[in-house]
Amino acid sequence: MHAPLQLKTDYINVLLDMATERTRDRGSRVYEIETGLSLRDIRLLRAIGGSPGITMGQLVQACAIEKTLVSKLISALVQRQLVQRQIGSEDARQIHMYLTQAGIDLVLQAEPIGQEMEARFLDCLSASEVDTLRRILNKIIDAEAGSRDVFEFLLAQLRESKSSESSTPPSGTPRKK
């Protein structure tokens, strides 16, 4: 057995994950009872409703949900006749999504529920703190988007470095041919 390690446990991304997971679980349970849809379904409907004609790639970016899961969820929403897909007129590879009237009605039903739940989740903060939190989170999101190309470049360099390290034998060990 060892003594407890002195490690940082309050990383911002860990705290955000904890807050997100706890509020997402509660929100999804309420939405499922009230609308028959999950929080992710509602998120997709909101994004489509706010940007009629949005493509799958844009939807993945807007909702921060994995592409394969978005595809699966959209297929289910199409089957439920809440979303309509339309092949792009300029590029047949692009599929544009629109809400049906039933989808519009459902997302409008969910909107006051979402506003009420958010208010309850954040009632421990002042209005000024909520504004500051929202501004800071948007700043972090924008900074990540703005640095994505540099990050991918550095990540590729790191992989390359690790790959060359693993292919180099320890000193004094002859290389097999």
Side-chain angles (χ1 to χ4, degrees), residues 5-163:
L5 301 175
Q6 298 300 310
L7 303 171
K8 181 174 175 59
T9 58
D10 66 344
Y11 286 98
I12 295 295
N13 65 331
V14 173
L15 296 174
L16 288 171
D17 280 348
M18 289 172 62
T20 299
E21 187 58 39
R22 292 173 184 178
T23 57
R24 180 179 24 230
D25 177 62
R26 288 182 181 192
S28 200
R29 289 168 36 198
V30 170
Y31 282 128
E32 286 170 9
I33 291 169
E34 293 289 336
T35 67
L37 296 172
S38 73
L39 179 92
R40 286 188 172 122
D41 292 329
I42 298 294
R43 188 185 307 174
L44 293 170
L45 292 178
R46 282 185 178 126
I48 296 167
S51 298
I54 192 169
T55 64
M56 187 66 77
Q58 293 168 331
L59 194 55
V60 167
Q61 286 296 313
C63 293
I65 302 173
E66 180 186 305
K67 185 178 181 178
T68 55
L69 182 55
V70 169
S71 181
K72 178 182 167 186
L73 293 171
I74 289 295
S75 292
L77 294 171
V78 167
Q79 276 190 317
R80 291 183 70 168
Q81 298 181 345
L82 300 173
V83 172
Q84 175 185 351
R85 291 184 258 202
Q86 189 174 75
I87 295 173
S89 57
E90 295 175 20
D91 184 349
R93 295 172 295 180
Q94 293 289 323
I95 305 297
H96 299 272
M97 285 161 282
Y98 302 87
L99 295 181
T100 62
Q101 188 58 54
I104 292 170
D105 294 344
L106 202 56
V107 79
L108 291 176
Q109 175 191 344
E111 193 61 12
I113 297 167
Q115 290 177 13
E116 175 69 20
M117 283 191 295
E118 180 178 72
R120 287 178 186 255
F121 292 147
L122 298 175
D123 69 355
C124 61
L125 302 175
S126 69
S128 173
E129 288 171 321
V130 170
D131 289 342
T132 299
L133 176 61
R134 195 176 312 277
R135 191 175 65 255
I136 289 170
L137 290 173
N138 281 316
K139 191 173 186 177
I140 290 170
I141 291 165
D142 292 345
E144 185 282 329
S147 66
R148 196 170 297 145
D149 290 342
V150 171
F151 173 78
E152 292 300 330
F153 173 75
L154 294 173
L155 191 61
Q157 284 187 320
L158 180 61
R159 282 191 186 113
E160 196 174 293
S161 167
K162 292 295 181 183
S163 174

